Amino acid sequence: MTTSQQLQLRHMLQLDDTPRTEGPAAATSIAHRVLADSPDNRLVLDLARTGESGWVLALFFEGTPPTADTVADHRTLLRSAVEQFGLTLVEVTPAATADEVHTPPHEPTSAGKPTIGTVWDLPYDDLDHLWPHVGLRKTAPADVKAAKLREVMRSPAWSAAPPILRRQAEAFLDEL
């Protein structure tokens, strides 16, 4: 983003030009705003810089988690900022839609690449137990689960996953 775009973004989000000094990744913060969702809850909207061209927009909370409506409102605001400033959305945590799931670029495996020694070293043989491992709750939207599951299934270890888990995964994706 250009300096002008950064100023516009700070204005749009009503951010103070001071970095956040506490909490996760405070060292990368460049601007923030403290909000009150309720008397016993403190929300912090933060803009951070990562690397040469990376930006992180985050909503942190202390105390009681914010209401679903508050999260939805901020999700809409932040997604609007991403669109308005031509940024690329990489990930939203927790994801509400499949496009908010980070999926690294897939490198196709070549036919000659050895797969000997591929192991499934995770203790999961049931799909419901796999969701927390990939950062999801059982109640996550189906399209979010599908995106995460496809990512797991692209890994070389998937071929060694328990057959029951592979069948459950295929059935889950077939139901969509």
Side-chain angles (χ1 to χ4, degrees):
M1 284 191 296
T2 66
T3 302
S4 173
Q5 289 174 318
Q6 290 177 46
L7 291 172
Q8 290 173 13
L9 178 62
R10 289 177 187 186
H11 179 73
M12 174 185 179
L13 300 176
Q14 301 174 0
L15 301 175
D16 296 328
D17 285 333
T18 56
R20 193 170 38 88
T21 58
E22 56 189 30
T28 61
S29 175
I30 61 170
H32 78 289
R33 175 171 55 125
V34 177
L35 309 122
D37 183 44
S38 67
D40 61 341
N41 192 336
R42 180 176 170 243
L43 297 175
V44 177
L45 184 59
D46 188 62
L47 172 63
R49 181 90 189 233
T50 61
E52 290 295 314
S53 62
W55 298 92
V56 176
L57 294 167
L59 181 66
F60 299 102
F61 72 91
E62 291 178 6
T64 308
T67 65
D69 287 343
T70 297
V71 172
D73 290 347
H74 282 87
R75 180 182 306 272
T76 300
L77 176 66
L78 296 178
R79 287 194 66 137
S80 174
V82 165
E83 185 176 315
Q84 181 175 338
F85 292 98
L87 303 173
T88 301
L89 180 68
V90 174
E91 180 176 28
V92 176
T93 305
T97 59
D99 71 326
E100 295 178 348
V101 175
H102 175 62
T103 52
H106 175 59
E107 294 181 20
T109 56
S110 63
K113 200 177 225 182
T115 58
I116 296 173
T118 301
V119 296
W120 180 260
D121 61 353
L122 299 174
Y124 313 115
D125 60 1
D126 186 271
L127 195 53
D128 283 341
H129 299 144
L130 183 65
W131 299 132
H133 177 77
V134 296
L136 298 176
R137 295 184 178 161
K138 289 180 185 180
T139 58
D143 63 333
V144 170
K145 287 180 172 180
K148 284 285 193 178
L149 184 56
R150 286 184 185 103
E151 181 181 341
V152 171
M153 293 171 76
R154 284 195 316 252
S155 82
W158 184 250
S159 64
I164 191 167
L165 178 62
R166 291 195 321 259
R167 284 191 300 275
Q168 288 176 353
E170 290 166 11
F172 177 82
L173 293 174
D174 286 345
E175 290 177 8
L176 296 179

